[in-house]
Amino acid sequence: MGKKVPIAGTDITSEKTQDLKGIALLLLMWHHLFGVEYLEGWSAIIPGTEGASYVIGASGKICLAMFLFCSGYGLYKSYINKESTGKTYILKRLVKTLIPYWIVMIIAICYLIYAGKFEAKYIFVNLFALIHSSEILYVTFSWFIKLYVLLLLVLPLIRLIERKWKKNALIDMLIYVVLPFALALIFQRFLHEEYYESIPSFLASTVVFLLAWFPLFAIGILFAKYNTYKKVREFADKFPSYLVIILTLLIIGNMFYLRFIVNTFFGDSILYHCCMADVFFGPVFVCAFLLLIDNMRYKSRYVLPFIGKNSVFYWLLSGMFFKNTIELSFLITWPKITILIFIWTMVLLTPFVFACSWISGKLTKLIFKGS
């Protein structure tokens, strides 16, 4: 077996991050289409493999860990580890997060008014996806907006900790991963994002909600801080590319099944809903997909990068086919076969994604003009 010449570029570049987001978005779509009980009447392209489609769909929720990993990694490089950043950095990130969401929310409101289902009293709640009830949220699956806004708001605290704390991987794991996870478990009885009782209970639920998901975000931070993927690549580069590809595909396949088993075992606990097991599964999936990207000779130059760059619009617009607007699902389910439904959904959404992305870009430039 000949020794492989190391491949240049062991960092997780912005281009690789876009590819990861593209893969995560595709997993998100498969998860919503075939991994939960929103859609019915579909069948696999190969009769008898419906179970495999469901397992992949259920485990496709790993996409959340991948998105949070990319966010943690990118924000560490662009903000947390920077000696100096603009005073408006956080504000700009908040605006760039909320504008795409508000654009899709306006589309959803227009349809809900037409369908006679619009509830004006929930407008403020929807502005920041504060309550995660399908009867309240205009845009299905938009609960992640609240989480991302919370993560942006705590960035200055993380940056302050990084300035004061000495570099120690074990201590970092305890502070960023173990401690939030432990606190979320201890106070999980206060977690009720689906309904509102009072301001104190809402604030308590919000804190537990942030603590429960924070470890997955922190994994990305730690990967960036300790150049973890570089070490993985240095080890993988000792083997031929074809062997790395085969092994990573085997790892990905087995991780899908193992994650499904773990989620089934934990049931309705916080471990299931926030999938704290993804502290392990997330980095494995990320490294496996990155190794595939780095070792494959032919790469997607347009499709996957476009999907990754516009993943937020695919994610939010796809919500129009579920829950409070489930009556629109016939637009995507008519092919009946899983892979055809999946492809058709992506094709159907793309023109709307392109339009929303264009409008968002124009609004963002207008807001930050001269700043």
Side-chain angles (χ1 to χ4, degrees):
M1 182 182 296
K3 188 175 181 179
K4 183 175 73 171
V5 177
I7 304 171
T10 56
D11 292 332
I12 304 178
T13 62
S14 58
E15 290 78 13
K16 292 180 185 178
T17 300
Q18 294 292 8
D19 286 344
L20 277 177
K21 288 181 179 179
I23 294 170
L25 187 280
L26 295 176
L27 291 174
L28 172 74
M29 296 297 292
W30 195 276
H31 170 65
H32 286 157
L33 290 169
F34 313 117
V36 286
E37 298 178 358
Y38 300 133
L39 300 182
E40 298 178 353
W42 54 266
S43 59
I45 193 168
I46 302 176
T49 61
E50 286 79 9
S53 296
Y54 176 73
V55 168
I56 294 173
S59 292
K61 194 177 179 182
I62 191 66
C63 63
L64 296 173
M66 295 174 67
F67 281 125
L68 288 170
F69 176 96
C70 292
S71 297
Y73 191 97
L75 288 171
Y76 181 85
K77 293 286 189 180
S78 63
Y79 177 76
I80 297 172
N81 196 43
K82 288 283 187 179
E83 288 298 326
S84 62
T85 57
K87 295 181 179 180
T88 60
Y89 180 89
I90 301 297
L91 178 61
K92 287 182 178 179
R93 292 302 298 244
L94 286 169
V95 170
K96 290 180 179 179
T97 299
L98 292 171
I99 283 181
Y101 169 55
W102 288 340
I103 290 172
V104 178
M105 187 177 74
I106 290 171
I107 295 173
I109 288 174
C110 291
Y111 172 77
L112 291 171
I113 291 174
Y114 168 78
K117 298 193 295 181
F118 176 65
E119 295 283 353
K121 61 184 178 181
Y122 296 136
I123 285 182
F124 178 76
V125 171
N126 274 270
L127 284 175
F128 307 100
L130 298 178
I131 305 297
H132 304 157
S133 167
S134 59
E135 296 178 357
I136 294 177
L137 289 179
Y138 303 144
V139 182
T140 304
F141 307 137
S142 59
W143 65 268
F144 192 84
I145 291 294
K146 176 181 177 179
L147 175 60
Y148 195 73
V149 168
L150 291 172
L151 291 171
L152 289 176
L153 292 177
V154 299
L155 279 182
L157 175 61
I158 300 172
R159 191 164 186 263
L160 179 62
I161 292 173
E162 287 297 305
R163 290 289 179 274
K164 302 293 184 181
W165 211 271
K166 291 184 179 180
K167 195 172 183 179
N168 185 295
L170 179 59
I171 293 178
D172 282 343
M173 283 293 293
L174 291 173
I175 292 176
Y176 291 133
V177 177
V178 177
L179 180 61
F181 178 30
L183 291 174
L185 280 178
I186 293 171
F187 297 106
Q188 63 177 304
R189 67 183 182 277
F190 295 105
L191 181 65
H192 51 80
E193 290 294 289
E194 297 81 12
Y195 58 90
Y196 175 82
E197 286 184 344
S198 62
I199 291 179
S201 67
F202 167 76
L203 293 176
S205 177
T206 297
V207 172
V208 177
F209 173 66
L210 175 61
L211 289 171
W213 287 100
F214 184 81
L216 302 181
F217 176 75
I219 292 296
I221 293 176
L222 298 182
F223 259 67
K225 184 175 181 178
Y226 294 100
N227 294 315
T228 306
Y229 180 65
K230 182 179 179 180
K231 299 177 178 65
V232 174
R233 268 291 306 277
E234 288 173 349
F235 175 77
D237 283 349
K238 297 176 182 179
F239 305 95
S241 293
Y242 75 86
L243 183 58
V244 174
I245 292 173
I246 292 172
L247 289 175
T248 50
L249 288 173
L250 288 173
I251 290 171
I252 290 169
N254 281 281
M255 287 299 103
F256 271 122
Y257 184 71
L258 182 58
R259 189 186 184 281
F260 175 77
I261 296 299
V262 170
N263 275 8
T264 302
F265 177 79
F266 284 117
D268 292 329
S269 71
I270 196 171
L271 280 164
Y272 172 80
H273 290 293
C274 301
C275 200
M276 298 314 303
D278 282 347
V279 169
F280 165 72
F281 288 115
V284 173
F285 271 94
V286 166
C287 289
F289 282 121
L290 283 173
L291 288 173
L292 277 179
I293 293 169
D294 286 342
N295 283 274
M296 292 182 69
R297 181 174 298 180
Y298 301 104
K299 300 177 176 64
S300 175
R301 297 178 58 188
Y302 303 106
V303 177
L304 194 59
F306 177 82
I307 293 173
K309 182 179 180 181
N310 296 284
S311 57
V312 62
F313 291 109
Y314 277 104
W315 148 47
L316 291 172
L317 287 168
S318 69
M320 294 296 295
F321 305 121
F322 300 93
K323 291 192 174 181
N324 62 337
T325 50
I326 190 68
E327 65 271 15
L328 295 178
S329 64
F330 75 94
L331 294 171
I332 60 172
T333 55
W334 63 266
K336 300 299 182 181
I337 305 298
T338 51
I339 188 64
L340 298 181
I341 293 173
F342 177 73
I343 294 173
W344 170 242
T345 301
M346 295 299 297
V347 171
L348 179 63
L349 288 175
T350 296
F352 298 97
V353 168
F354 185 86
C356 289
S357 179
W358 183 83
I359 295 171
S360 177
K362 293 295 182 181
L363 288 175
T364 303
K365 286 182 180 179
L366 182 64
I367 293 173
F368 295 124
K369 186 177 181 180
S371 63

